[in-house]
Amino acid sequence: MAKKTYRSMDDFAVACGVSRPTLSKYFDDPSQVKEVTRKSIEAVLKKSNFEPNLFARHLNRKRTKNIGILVPTMADPFYVQVVSLIEIELRGKGYWPVQISSHTRPELEEEAVRTLLSLKVAGAIVAPMGNSSRKFALERLKDAIPIVCFDSPSRFNLPFVGNDNAQSVAAIVQYLCRSGEPPVFLDVPHLVENTNERTESYSATMAREGHSPLVIACDAPPSWEFERLGYEQMNHLLAKGGLPGKTLLCANDRFAFGAMAAAFAAGLKIGRADGCDIRIAGHDDHPLSRYACPSLTTMAQNAPEIAARSVEMLLNLLDEDAAGRKAMPNSVILEATLVMRDSA
């Protein structure tokens, strides 16, 4: 038997024998309506294919339950992982995530801000683009709604959740120094603040370990295509007469993937076993790091905790009852974990 179709919330409310506000209250939280009313609504639901337009209902409110999520790119698995976790956290707490990517383009980041504001989002969780951002874009957003940043802090001293890059890079540098030849650091373009932190931590840790740091800057134009940059940089180094050392620490895993591909193409054997020509390590624990050949030694960021704490901080800011707000730090910095695999 075909289920009955209702064209609108008003039609469905009439069929249930309740008012439109009561129906809205039910879809927000069934426990808010009387048991007899709840059973009446659910009986009609079972006989219909009605689904409330939650997005439209939220837009009609003074304060919506939509939360914006803005990241530079969804081509980076780290952002994919964290955004997915943030969405699950928000939906579990009764909020509707609205995710937008700026595709690493400043004009699209600005457009994304306008879109989020037009959708009346209650707040936003943002991974800033860093140096390439247009300052007034994020400024406009922060002036309108509460914001929490992750991955890279903003220039506006907004609440922030991110990785302790000083700790994580120090940990992997110490491991590499104590397990073999000290590492050379293959840098990436400094597009966001956390890149500067990683380079500085490498140099400071090498000095503490009694070694001279050697940072090789990426000589290509700035780009978020880290695999390509890593491949080209490694080829460039090999073409100049060889590598400056037998242990390479890459600023992130995606750059390391490119460097590993170029080294393999040049006939070099990568790994920590006897007879290998070079060790290569990265940072972030990219989802494919364990499946590289050889598997990549790296530092694993605490993505679940980054997502959970970002949501917690934002919802605390959104609490309309000031007395109910928790006393929370303006920034949460999380330690990463060394993951030793075959590449170094």
Side-chain angles (χ1 to χ4, degrees):
M1 185 175 177
K3 290 191 173 185
K4 188 169 178 59
T5 299
Y6 297 95
R7 292 184 299 174
S8 67
M9 285 276 282
D10 290 319
D11 290 345
F12 188 73
V14 170
C16 295
V18 300
S19 68
R20 169 66 182 271
T22 298
L23 188 61
S24 293
K25 189 183 291 187
Y26 169 82
F27 281 122
D28 281 339
D29 182 358
S31 66
Q32 290 185 357
V33 300
K34 295 178 181 178
E35 184 178 359
V36 64
T37 304
R38 186 166 66 248
K39 288 182 177 178
S40 175
I41 294 170
E42 290 171 352
V44 179
L45 267 176
K46 287 179 182 178
K47 297 176 182 179
S48 75
N49 55 11
F50 180 75
E51 291 185 9
N53 188 336
L54 298 178
F55 192 73
R57 286 198 306 111
H58 290 164
L59 288 182
N60 288 329
R61 295 178 176 173
K62 220 171 189 182
R63 178 188 144 192
T64 75
K65 298 206 80 173
N66 303 321
I67 299 294
I69 306 172
L70 176 58
V71 296
T73 175
M74 289 302 284
D76 189 316
F78 171 74
Y79 289 130
V80 174
Q81 182 183 23
V82 176
V83 168
S84 296
L85 292 166
I86 288 173
E87 288 184 341
I88 291 170
E89 288 277 339
L90 287 171
R91 294 176 75 168
K93 297 180 184 299
Y95 286 84
W96 189 254
V98 180
Q99 190 269 313
I100 304 179
S101 166
S102 61
H103 298 277
T104 70
R105 291 166 55 183
E107 71 276 13
L108 292 185
E109 184 182 52
E110 185 180 350
E111 179 187 272
V113 167
R114 290 197 301 269
T115 300
L116 290 176
L117 292 177
S118 71
L119 294 175
K120 300 180 184 177
V121 295
I125 298 174
V126 178
M129 276 179 55
N131 299 331
S132 56
S133 284
R134 293 176 178 172
K135 180 179 177 181
F136 56 83
L138 197 56
E139 186 171 30
R140 182 182 177 192
L141 196 61
K142 83 169 182 68
D143 288 343
I145 56 174
I147 301 176
V148 171
C149 295
F150 77 95
D151 186 46
S152 182
S154 82
R155 64 191 79 178
F156 300 112
N157 193 33
L158 294 168
F160 170 67
V161 181
N163 183 68
D164 186 342
N165 291 295
Q167 172 268 334
S168 58
V169 173
I172 198 163
V173 169
Q174 289 169 348
Y175 164 72
L176 293 172
C177 286
R178 297 170 189 181
S179 60
E181 184 179 290
V184 174
F185 191 73
L186 296 190
D187 211 350
V188 296
H190 288 207
L191 298 169
V192 293
E193 182 62 30
N194 59 22
T195 314
N196 300 330
E197 294 172 354
R198 293 180 187 186
T199 309
E200 291 167 4
S201 180
Y202 162 77
S203 297
T205 307
M206 285 287 284
R208 287 197 301 270
E209 293 291 311
H211 304 292
S212 297
L214 177 55
V215 177
I216 298 180
C218 183
D219 52 11
S223 169
W224 290 77
E225 298 178 71
F226 296 119
E227 294 88 354
R228 175 180 61 80
L229 295 179
Y231 188 88
E232 292 176 352
Q233 184 74 0
M234 178 64 89
N235 276 337
H236 178 67
L237 292 172
L238 292 171
K240 286 174 62 177
L243 300 174
K246 292 186 176 181
T247 301
L248 303 181
L249 172 59
C250 298
N252 64 41
D253 288 351
R254 293 178 58 197
F255 197 91
F257 292 157
M260 290 171 71
F264 176 80
L268 297 177
K269 186 175 181 180
I270 305 164
R272 58 181 178 175
D274 292 340
C276 290
D277 301 302
I278 187 173
R279 296 191 300 164
I280 297 179
H283 191 291
D284 293 340
D285 199 23
H286 183 297
L288 297 180
S289 295
R290 70 186 62 189
Y291 303 113
C293 190
S295 55
L296 182 64
T297 291
T298 185
M299 292 299 297
Q301 293 198 58
N302 193 342
E305 194 67 10
I306 289 173
R309 297 299 293 272
S310 297
V311 171
E312 180 186 18
M313 289 176 75
L314 182 64
L315 297 190
N316 190 56
L317 292 171
L318 292 175
D319 194 334
E320 292 177 344
D321 179 9
R325 291 182 193 149
K326 302 176 185 176
M328 300 188 72
N330 196 52
S331 66
V332 175
I333 308 301
L334 302 166
E335 291 192 354
T337 304
L338 175 64
V339 181
M340 292 178 286
R341 298 194 179 105
D342 294 335
S343 70

